[in-house]
Amino acid sequence: MTETGNSIGWSREEMAGRLAEDIPDGSYVNLGIGLPELVARFVPEGRELVYHTENGLLGMGPSPKEGEGDPELINAGKRQVTAKPGASYFHQSDSFAMIRGGHLDLCVLGALQVSRAGDLANWSLGGPDDIPAVGGAMDLVAGVKSIFVITQHCTKDGAPKLVESCTYPLTGLRVVDRVYTDLAVIAVRPEGFQLIELAPGADFDLVQERTGARLLPVAETTSHV
Amino acid sequence: MIDKRAANVAEAVSEVFDGATIMIGGFGEAGSPIELIHALIDQGASDLTVISNNCGSGEVGLAALLKAGRVSKMICSFPRTANSTVFPDLYRSGRTQLELVPQGTLAERIRAGGAGIPAFYTPTAVGTPLADGKETRRFHDRDCLLESGLTADFTLIKARRADTHGNLVYNKTARNFSPVMAMAGRNTIVQTAELVAPGEIDPELVITPEIFVDRVVHVPNPAHESALVAAGATYP
């Protein structure tokens, strides 16, 4: 348990670690920019994951050592990375065939909002002066087999990010499978948000209070918690 | 005799005309043909429609072409850059139009254009603002959008190695959009760090076959955009 703004719940690293526990060995995974990138640091020992970056690399490794990078070997966040043994380079159309053709097992993304139906808003605040920029997010949510969202449970102002319906421009409809927050792990089911696991110090009532839609209790058949 | 060499970058881009549609390779700085873009700024063509994933950084390369006021419309997926205000200023003042396209849809529209496919359906962007005004049709219980193929009058790309026929090999993630843009350009112009004779590239390793390439120009030590931006460079 870590001190956060709420004095309860998981830190960013613990959220990433909790998500990493749920990625099966041998998965082909695309990690979004920011908090999702942290997940790569916490993959449990003994599991091998292969990372895809949509600008054209399968088998992405960590950042290069100082002075050893190549400005033409970068990830989707335009930061220098490395290629692991067994990696491959390919053009955009092949890269998005991997995404849109359903060949990737999992994509981890950040969110502005997730709705009870699994709609995701994560690319634009929709302001009149905002420069709209979407990148590959809409392709990823449309094509990858599972979509996990990792995000703080609430905005900095305390507004819920898990909501009845999204008010920001959508990235995709009914695409999110699970949400990992500082307070809980939540599955998106046909009947709505279902609690899977509570973070240390959090209880059902607190998570419900900070969620903008009805939360279903942990299913009795689930072995978690 | 087939010899697609241009003597220099100025000659390579000399035929670009006002109002042309131009595809420019690159994802961020990786694969951006900076020397060809700078030659295009010198050449002077304006009212261009540019198809490229981003809008450049700093005030060099694509950002410099935009800043010079030559681009009336951008078709791209991610025009935001941490260190450039060139495109945001043009967009907010209405001087450059933007057609925002999801990155995979952009790649596929270019591929389709190059492959002679006028349009295709995709589930990407259904239910989002980018679906507005697009025809929707249901396939296998899934709504899909009709997207059109893209072609261009000119394509500008960067290769690591080319032969004089125009067979190309790229460097790492600098490959990105270049192979599909080479297919979709009516005049595909390539700057290459290495220029070799036909036969020196193993046919098994050719990434872009020569038929998609019209002009090749040797640029032995291409600049890196990040290094130019860090040095505070501007163009012209």
Side-chain angles (χ1 to χ4, degrees):
Chain A
M1 182 167 134
T2 308
E3 288 293 316
T4 67
N6 302 317
S7 303
I8 50 170
W10 283 307
S11 68
R12 287 162 56 89
E13 287 73 17
E14 287 164 339
M15 288 161 64
R18 178 61 191 82
L19 190 154
E21 280 177 30
D22 290 348
I23 308 178
D25 184 30
S27 295
Y28 291 90
V29 180
N30 182 298
L31 299 177
I33 308 309
L35 191 46
E37 288 176 273
L38 263 186
V39 172
R41 285 202 227 155
F42 297 98
V43 176
E45 201 139 331
R47 285 185 216 178
E48 184 178 16
L49 307 184
V50 179
Y51 296 107
H52 170 268
T53 181
E54 61 265 30
N55 55 311
L57 166 60
L58 188 66
M60 176 174 65
S63 305
K65 290 192 189 105
E66 186 74 30
E68 289 180 14
D70 182 335
E72 295 196 321
L73 178 46
I74 59 175
N75 66 9
K78 306 189 177 77
R79 276 209 294 278
Q80 291 186 11
V81 293
T82 50
K84 294 177 94 164
S88 54
Y89 301 116
F90 33 82
H91 61 65
Q92 285 297 277
S93 187
D94 280 355
S95 186
F96 280 87
M98 294 176 194
I99 293 169
R100 294 152 68 114
H103 304 283
L104 286 172
D105 298 304
L106 174 68
C107 178
V108 182
L109 291 168
L112 295 167
Q113 290 173 325
V114 177
S115 84
R116 206 166 68 95
D119 300 347
L120 175 67
N122 82 339
W123 68 284
S124 168
L125 294 168
D129 255 9
D130 290 336
I131 303 297
V134 65
M138 290 182 184
D139 307 286
L140 286 159
V141 298
V144 177
K145 288 175 199 154
S146 292
I147 302 294
F148 287 1
V149 160
I150 183 165
T151 179
Q152 299 300 318
H153 205 87
C154 295
T155 67
K156 284 183 188 125
D157 301 330
K161 291 181 140 199
L162 282 73
V163 294
E164 192 61 37
S165 61
C166 298
T167 53
Y168 292 126
L170 289 183
T171 310
L173 286 171
R174 294 179 296 280
V175 294
V176 177
D177 297 291
R178 278 196 181 195
V179 185
Y180 295 78
T181 78
D182 50 326
L183 297 181
V185 180
I186 291 168
V188 180
R189 303 225 195 271
E191 54 276 20
F193 290 129
Q194 179 159 44
L195 186 63
I196 289 186
E197 189 176 327
L198 289 162
D203 62 25
F204 181 88
D205 290 344
L206 176 115
V207 178
Q208 175 64 82
E209 186 191 311
R210 294 183 187 179
T211 301
R214 190 170 156 236
L215 187 65
L216 304 166
V218 176
E220 304 211 335
T221 49
T222 316
S223 56
H224 294 285
V225 184
Chain B
M1 281 294 287
I2 294 176
D3 185 352
K4 297 179 182 171
R5 282 178 290 181
N8 50 53
V9 287
E11 185 190 310
V13 301
S14 60
E15 290 171 15
V16 178
F17 49 85
D18 290 353
T21 295
I22 305 188
M23 291 181 180
I24 300 182
F27 177 94
E29 71 169 320
S32 185
I34 293 185
E35 284 76 7
L36 285 176
I37 299 170
H38 288 173
L40 181 61
I41 293 172
D42 296 342
Q43 191 261 7
S46 64
D47 192 24
L48 304 171
T49 293
V50 171
I51 302 168
S52 193
N53 191 61
N54 306 102
C55 286
S57 61
E59 293 186 14
V60 295
L62 182 50
L65 183 70
L66 282 156
K67 191 171 169 75
R70 306 291 173 71
V71 182
S72 52
K73 183 178 180 185
M74 279 299 311
I75 301 177
C76 75
S77 88
F78 205 89
R80 234 174 12 226
T81 316
N83 62 3
S84 183
T85 60
V86 172
F87 181 77
D89 292 345
L90 289 166
Y91 175 73
R92 289 187 183 119
S93 68
R95 279 175 288 165
T96 302
Q97 285 180 273
L98 171 66
E99 180 178 341
L100 191 72
V101 183
Q103 196 174 329
T105 296
L106 181 62
E108 193 61 17
R109 289 180 68 188
I110 296 167
R111 193 199 72 83
I117 296 166
F120 59 92
Y121 284 97
T122 176
T124 294
V126 166
T128 78
L130 301 190
D132 290 350
K134 287 182 182 153
E135 182 184 322
T136 304
R137 191 168 155 185
R138 208 163 170 78
F139 294 92
H140 311 300
D141 289 330
R142 218 171 165 195
D143 287 332
C144 295
L145 302 179
L146 182 66
E147 297 280 2
S148 57
L150 286 169
T151 57
D153 299 305
F154 298 90
T155 284
L156 308 183
I157 56 175
K158 177 162 93 168
R160 179 171 64 85
R161 195 167 212 224
D163 66 27
T164 54
H165 276 209
N167 292 299
L168 308 180
V169 177
Y170 302 92
N171 181 41
K172 305 185 178 79
T173 56
R175 185 183 307 184
N176 57 68
F177 283 88
S178 299
V180 286
M181 287 181 169
M183 293 164 58
R186 281 179 283 279
N187 288 283
T188 291
I189 301 162
V190 182
Q191 66 168 76
T192 181
E194 273 181 75
L195 184 61
V196 298
E200 289 191 38
I201 302 173
D202 181 344
E204 292 281 12
L205 302 182
V206 169
I207 304 299
T208 291
E210 63 175 81
I211 196 166
F212 299 123
V213 172
D214 298 280
R215 299 290 260 169
V216 178
V217 60
H218 190 203
V219 177
N221 294 299
H224 289 301
E225 191 174 284
S226 56
L228 293 178
V229 172
T234 58
Y235 197 88

